[in-house]
Amino acid sequence: MRSWLFIPGDSERKLAKLDTLEADAVILDLEDAVLPAGKAVARQRVREALDARPVPRSVPVWVRINPLDGPLALADLAAIVGGRPEGVMLPKFRTVADLQRLDAALAALEAREGLAPGSVPMVAVGTETARSLFELGSLADVGPRLQGLTWGAEDLAVDLGAASNRDAAGEWLPTYQLARSLVLAGAAAAGIPAIDTVYTDFRNSDGLRESCRRARADGFAGKLAIHPDQVAVINEAFTPEEAEVRWAREVLATFAEGSGDGALSLHGKLLDAPHLKQAERILAQAAQSAR
Ligand code: COA
Ligand code: MG
């Protein structure tokens, strides 16, 4: 999935837009977009939004719960799982054990609600705690319920006591570039998609487009969004271009005609196994985008 749009869980006005959005998924937020005084009402509104849209839904509805080490997470889960969200996003995890605890809690709630075991997947927000950076190589240990990894630079800066996460030109400082790269490597090592973090300057669509271009080139499969205007830009940027699709088809055709050779040439350039995988990935992305 390319675009994941956050909607604050307590905002009736924004929740009412849910069915008009072109996002590949929405994430109804119970965490940082909701002030402490709004937590209970947000939980109730999110559950109502889920119940009002029985599965199968036209837009997948995910829910971001509160962090597991606080007092709200389990009550969030107990309130929403019966509404059959397409998935749950966990912010600020510290360790793989946190993700395994969430897996167990979801399994218990699935049993309570009569849902198939493992039917509510999860996406983790890596890098929001310093500790999580040292766990990103072990995410395969969480098991099949973990289906994506994203990252956040704001909370990491808070955890590190940093004054800023970007330089004067707006580029990530080295610590946050490292975190971003660890997310790419950790997701790939676990065989799950990496989803790039939010672009907060939501009126700047050129900046967003450039951020998406880099993210896709580096291996991210999609990007988080905070404003409806960001969705179309993200969808377009993460959809393979015509020329890429043409190249990918040529690569497959060249291998098909290549009489079993592992090294071939196309337009005067070497083609071998990594190119074939890259071509297959582009065609898979193109097929998914067309749905
Ligand atoms: N989801 C659904 N609708 C949204 C939306 C969102 N994330 N963001 C804005 N809208 C709606 C607004 O309600 C408005 O509609 P209205 O005029 O009928 O009320 C319309 O889109 C245009 O919004 P705009 O005036 O341009 O923005 P804003 O000033 O109302 O809101 C934000 C700006 C950043 C506060 C808002 O986009 C937002 O809440 N984003 C999500 C924040 C979030 O969830 N953060 C947690 C993850 S980092
Ligand atoms: Mg946050």
Side-chain angles (χ1 to χ4, degrees):
M1 290 193 288
R2 301 161 300 179
S3 52
W4 300 69
L5 175 65
F6 279 110
I7 307 181
D10 60 344
S11 170
E12 274 184 306
R13 201 175 170 104
K14 290 171 190 160
L15 287 169
K17 300 243 162 22
L18 209 163
D19 302 302
T20 70
L21 300 164
E22 300 287 318
D24 287 346
V26 296
I27 310 162
L28 309 188
D29 192 22
L30 298 176
E31 199 218 2
D32 283 351
V34 180
L35 293 171
K39 296 289 185 189
V41 75
R43 220 178 254 155
Q44 195 185 328
R45 284 189 182 147
V46 165
R47 176 59 191 262
E48 283 165 9
L50 288 164
D51 288 343
R53 295 167 183 83
V55 281
R57 299 190 173 99
S58 51
V59 183
V61 181
W62 286 62
V63 180
R64 181 166 75 170
I65 61 167
N66 285 283
L68 270 186
D69 56 4
L72 300 168
L74 292 177
D76 289 345
L77 288 172
I80 59 145
V81 169
R84 301 188 63 181
E86 268 70 19
V88 168
M89 177 177 276
L90 181 69
K92 297 185 181 64
F93 80 89
R94 296 181 67 256
T95 62
V96 164
D98 285 345
L99 296 169
Q100 289 165 335
R101 274 174 60 217
L102 176 59
D103 178 46
L106 283 168
L109 290 166
E110 284 165 349
R112 185 189 73 179
E113 301 295 338
L115 301 175
S119 59
V120 182
M122 57 198 200
V123 161
V125 192
T127 82
E128 288 188 313
T129 64
R131 183 71 176 80
S132 70
L133 296 180
F134 300 94
E135 300 277 311
L136 292 175
S138 309
L139 295 181
D141 296 346
V142 179
R145 194 191 291 278
L146 184 63
Q147 293 186 11
L149 177 67
T150 183
W151 70 292
E154 312 304 327
D155 291 287
L156 179 58
V158 173
D159 205 26
L160 297 176
S164 175
N165 49 29
R166 291 177 183 274
D167 66 17
E171 303 292 331
W172 295 121
L173 287 166
T175 307
Y176 307 88
Q177 288 178 16
L178 170 75
R180 180 180 182 277
S181 297
L182 286 173
V183 164
L184 283 166
I192 57 178
I195 303 154
D196 196 19
T197 194
V198 294
Y199 187 82
T200 52
D201 187 4
F202 62 86
R203 305 272 182 230
N204 179 1
S205 56
D206 289 339
L208 172 63
R209 200 170 290 112
E210 174 58 14
S211 167
C212 291
R213 190 195 60 73
R214 288 189 201 180
R216 176 158 182 261
D218 288 345
F220 285 101
K223 191 167 174 70
L224 301 176
I226 51 166
H227 191 283
D229 289 353
Q230 296 186 315
V231 168
V233 175
I234 294 174
N235 285 349
E236 194 194 336
F238 284 92
T239 302
E241 286 172 19
E242 254 325 297
E244 287 175 274
V245 173
R246 217 177 307 123
W247 173 83
R249 291 209 182 103
E250 279 182 323
V251 170
L252 259 64
T254 307
F255 274 96
E257 292 157 12
S259 60
D261 285 351
L264 298 161
S265 76
L266 177 65
H267 305 314
K269 284 186 187 147
L270 168 73
L271 275 192
D272 59 7
H275 302 102
L276 180 59
K277 283 188 192 149
Q278 197 186 352
E280 285 167 349
R281 185 180 164 132
I282 288 169
L283 293 177
Q285 284 175 344
Q288 274 181 346
S289 307
R291 272 202 251 132

